[in-house]
Amino acid sequence: MDNIASYNVARKYEKRALLILINCVAGLSIFFFGYDQGVMGGVNGNRNYASTMGFGMYDEKQGLVTIQHPLLQGGIIAVYYLPGTLFGAFLGGWFGDRYGRIKTIAVAALWAVVGATLQCSAQNAKWMFCARTLNGIGTGILNAITPVWATETASHTSRGQFVSIEFTLNIFGVVVAYWIEYGTSFYGQVNSSFIWRFPIAFQIVPLIFLFFVVWAMPESPRWLVKVGREEEARFILGRLRGEGDGAAEAEFQDIRNIVELERKTSSQSSYLAMFFGWKSGKLHTGRRVQLVIWLQILQEWIGIAGITIYGPTIFSIAGVSPQNRLWISGLNDITYMFATLICVFTLDRIGRRWTLYWGSVGQGICMFCAGGLARATINAKNSGGSTSGVGGGAIFFVFLFTAIFGATWLTVPWLYPAEIFPLEVRARGNAWGVVGWSIGNGWTVLLLPTIFAKLEEKTLYLFGAVNVVTIVVVWALYPETNQRTLEEMDLVFASDSIWNWDAERNFKILKEQNPELVQAAQRGNSVVDPEAGFKGGRQGSLVPKDLSLEAKEYGNSSEEEKVVEGVKHDRL
């Protein structure tokens, strides 16, 4: 394979070892995302930073920064998302589909280095506005392409675990940012700019490493097939899956067949066409776009943004001193990080939908309990009673909410967009998920301080109600992706109905009609169907015949039931 560089790790490593290397590099990219988000939490409370940017001053009596211009402070944070990550997502999706996953990650890393350099050297608010926007663009590009690269190289039987590990590293980035800031807070000169400039500058180190190491990684075999570089794609698939059992060849044929089908089915791939579903035919890209945007928006409004903002207030009314609030917040971040490991071991076992279900139930309970106990603590304090019991309970539910979120809703809204889109527009499709995340974050940054000022702890009840709503929304609208190949997703979303039960019914019929598109999923590798629970048994690669996403019409329900029963019989 002359087109694959001699230093490419795919030449030396294969199967599990190669997948671990890819996961480490993808994890490094997501680590930067977490660090970059986490670092600004501490920076915003620094006295030198507040005076340099001009939005506040340090109050010696209270021992904290008094915000005089909250709109300016919020604006510096918000431009990272809007327009930063929003524009970066669109740019990354387009660039990733056109020039490949590896080149896009490298460009994004270099771009983010420039943004981080400008941030840590900022001398005023205007400078920081520009730097934050540029850094947001780099983050948006990485967020649009890294999950896609990860899912396209992982096996469909462990794709969830693959991405879950990366988001453990994401929260590890938040933890590292927090404790670096905690360490610099003890710097001898309390008004030194070093205390906030060094933590921002530190992110340049992993970004430079990412820029150089990513060139040694294998390109996505699916993108290679899409652009006609099939020999390279087949070689990389062989290294990823091994050549002993025919799995690589079956997956390769599935990819080739789905590329042919997608080009025959859809004639539009622009962002605007994707959003409205113009000329997408049975691929229904418009529906998929709406699903990923709203999943990311819901991720913010189930309460994680509220806990981030109101958590320190709960600690305060519970009687925790300002000094102790620092290490309690740091401990909460560590709990958050370890909780993400739960998702590593459960996501591919119980599926995406059940992960969101139990997360919503647990988070909703925590929101209602934290809100009630916060009010009880305030009432106890006003009446002169003891706050230790109810205050401690409120803190417990803050910790429990964060842990449940890390085990459930943190990962799935990032994994789902990278799984469900057609190969022709997968990077651009995932970019729409980042758009939803940017919108969700932008809303919360701008609106929640005002909402909390009006409703106080009652805002937590609102988040609890949103969690209840998400259970119904996920059940009705979001099909399962667990243990299904990326190529099968076109069959899952081929139904003209928006309801999940219709999509599953239609999917079973299409699998029977198009066996050439599901060879990798039915190779007797103990893959369990997420809905029916039957194992696959088809061997060998099939030659494509008349591929179609149009389910056959049946004269009566009994004939249709026979087809579904036939599918089940094939799996036994």
Side-chain angles (χ1 to χ4, degrees):
M1 286 304 304
D2 296 334
N3 292 332
I4 298 178
S6 58
Y7 53 79
N8 195 297
V9 295
R11 288 190 174 275
K12 183 176 181 180
Y13 300 96
E14 65 175 343
K15 300 175 74 173
R16 182 174 176 79
L18 181 56
L19 285 169
I20 289 174
L21 286 172
I22 292 172
N23 204 11
C24 287
V25 175
L28 182 62
S29 172
I30 302 299
F31 167 87
F32 157 72
F33 167 39
Y35 184 93
D36 195 48
Q37 274 198 300
V39 76
M40 290 307 293
V43 166
N44 273 320
N46 179 265
R47 63 172 74 183
N48 180 272
Y49 176 77
S51 61
T52 301
M53 297 303 128
F55 61 74
M57 60 180 292
Y58 189 75
D59 189 320
E60 296 288 349
K61 291 183 179 180
Q62 298 186 48
L64 49 78
V65 171
T66 301
I67 307 302
Q68 298 170 318
H69 302 285
L71 189 60
L72 176 59
Q73 182 198 34
I76 291 174
I77 299 173
V79 294
Y80 177 81
Y81 304 105
L82 304 170
T85 57
L86 184 71
F87 177 76
F90 284 132
L91 179 60
W94 170 81
F95 198 92
D97 277 334
R98 186 176 181 88
Y99 298 106
R101 313 332 188 193
I102 298 300
K103 289 180 181 177
T104 306
I105 293 173
V107 168
L110 199 59
W111 189 305
V113 165
V114 174
T117 303
L118 289 172
Q119 275 192 97
C120 68
S121 60
Q123 301 298 316
N124 51 57
K126 291 181 180 178
W127 188 326
M128 184 57 81
F129 269 112
C130 178
R132 289 283 293 165
T133 301
L134 286 175
N135 214 39
I137 292 173
T139 304
I141 297 173
L142 283 175
N143 288 353
I145 203 63
T146 302
V148 171
W149 180 53
T151 57
E152 288 184 338
T153 51
S155 167
H156 69 285
T157 59
S158 57
R159 197 168 56 229
Q161 183 184 58
F162 204 67
V163 176
S164 295
I165 292 172
E166 294 166 16
F167 277 88
T168 297
L169 293 174
N170 170 257
I171 306 306
F172 179 61
V174 175
V175 172
V176 170
Y178 180 87
W179 288 105
I180 285 179
E181 288 176 327
Y182 183 75
T184 58
S185 69
F186 292 100
Y187 187 70
Q189 300 176 21
V190 295
N191 200 38
S192 172
S193 65
F194 171 83
I195 297 174
W196 65 269
R197 294 188 191 277
F198 177 79
I200 294 177
F202 183 80
Q203 63 189 296
I204 296 173
V205 176
L207 284 170
I208 291 176
F209 183 74
L210 175 64
F211 173 77
F212 284 106
V213 75
V214 75
W215 295 107
M217 295 295 112
E219 181 57 88
S220 161
R222 287 171 166 83
W223 181 80
L224 290 171
V225 170
K226 189 185 80 166
V227 297
R229 293 159 60 179
E230 294 189 357
E231 188 178 355
E232 293 175 64
R234 180 62 183 84
F235 173 79
I236 292 173
L237 270 175
R239 302 299 290 174
L240 287 169
R241 310 287 181 255
E243 295 289 3
D245 58 358
E249 180 61 25
E251 189 171 345
F252 177 66
Q253 294 301 331
D254 281 357
I255 298 169
R256 292 181 66 190
N257 294 342
I258 208 68
V259 167
E260 175 190 336
L261 179 61
E262 288 177 3
R263 288 174 178 169
K264 183 173 67 173
T265 304
S266 177
S267 59
Q268 289 291 334
S269 59
S270 69
Y271 281 116
L272 195 62
M274 288 178 67
F275 184 81
F276 290 104
W278 293 335
K279 297 184 179 180
S280 65
K282 287 289 185 177
L283 294 178
H284 297 299
T285 53
R287 185 194 311 160
R288 304 191 210 193
V289 167
Q290 295 299 324
L291 289 176
V292 301
I293 288 177
W294 283 102
L295 190 61
Q296 286 281 17
I297 292 175
L298 287 171
Q299 184 196 47
E300 295 302 316
W301 284 94
I302 56 177
I304 188 60
I307 287 296
T308 302
I309 293 173
Y310 200 65
T313 303
I314 293 177
F315 299 156
S316 178
I317 63 178
V320 179
S321 66
Q323 293 77 16
N324 288 336
R325 284 203 297 268
L326 288 174
W327 70 263
I328 287 178
S329 295
L331 183 61
N332 189 33
D333 286 341
I334 293 174
T335 304
Y336 187 11
M337 179 186 71
F338 282 112
T340 62
L341 293 173
I342 297 174
C343 199
V344 172
F345 298 105
T346 61
L347 191 54
D348 286 322
R349 293 178 181 272
I350 65 175
R352 299 9 168 188
R353 284 159 56 88
W354 277 102
T355 298
L356 296 179
Y357 289 156
W358 85 260
S360 294
V361 171
Q363 290 163 177
I365 293 172
C366 288
M367 285 288 99
F368 288 119
C369 290
L373 289 169
R375 172 44 57 185
T377 306
I378 295 172
N379 292 340
K381 183 177 289 188
N382 291 339
S383 63
S386 173
T387 62
S388 58
V390 287
I395 292 174
F396 168 77
F397 281 107
V398 169
F399 271 66
L400 183 59
F401 174 89
T402 306
I404 294 174
F405 177 84
T408 57
W409 273 82
L410 169 69
T411 300
V412 175
W414 289 101
L415 171 63
Y416 202 79
E419 292 183 306
I420 69 170
F421 281 96
L423 175 57
E424 280 290 312
V425 292
R426 185 164 293 138
R428 274 168 282 189
N430 192 58
W432 279 112
V434 183
V435 168
W437 172 77
S438 302
I439 294 171
N441 270 283
W443 280 6
T444 54
V445 167
L446 292 175
L447 297 181
L448 281 185
T450 302
I451 295 174
F452 272 114
K454 296 291 185 182
L455 300 179
E456 297 181 329
E457 83 289 340
K458 297 182 184 66
T459 309
L460 301 183
Y461 303 148
L462 173 64
F463 293 138
V466 172
N467 275 282
V468 174
V469 171
T470 60
I471 297 173
V472 179
V473 170
V474 171
W475 170 74
L477 300 177
Y478 287 82
E480 182 59 79
T481 61
N482 184 40
Q483 303 299 331
R484 287 171 172 166
T485 67
L486 298 179
E487 288 64 50
E488 286 182 294
M489 289 302 103
D490 285 345
L491 278 64
V492 171
F493 284 93
S495 173
D496 292 330
S497 170
I498 65 171
W499 307 115
N500 174 61
W501 48 87
D502 289 331
E504 292 293 344
R505 172 176 162 275
N506 195 66
F507 172 67
K508 290 176 180 177
I509 297 172
L510 287 174
K511 283 185 71 174
E512 176 71 9
Q513 293 178 196
N514 298 276
E516 304 88 350
L517 295 177
V518 292
Q519 298 173 66
Q522 298 186 4
R523 287 199 55 79
N525 54 1
S526 297
V527 177
V528 180
D529 186 282
E531 297 296 326
F534 294 97
K535 296 181 180 179
R538 180 178 281 112
Q539 301 290 332
S541 297
L542 302 178
V543 178
K545 292 174 278 188
D546 186 19
L547 302 176
S548 174
L549 294 178
E550 189 74 48
K552 293 178 181 178
E553 296 293 336
Y554 295 93
N556 54 61
S557 58
S558 61
E559 289 184 59
E560 187 174 327
E561 289 170 1
K562 290 178 182 179
V563 173
V564 175
E565 287 300 317
V567 175
K568 293 180 180 179
H569 181 268
D570 283 346
R571 292 188 184 126
L572 291 173

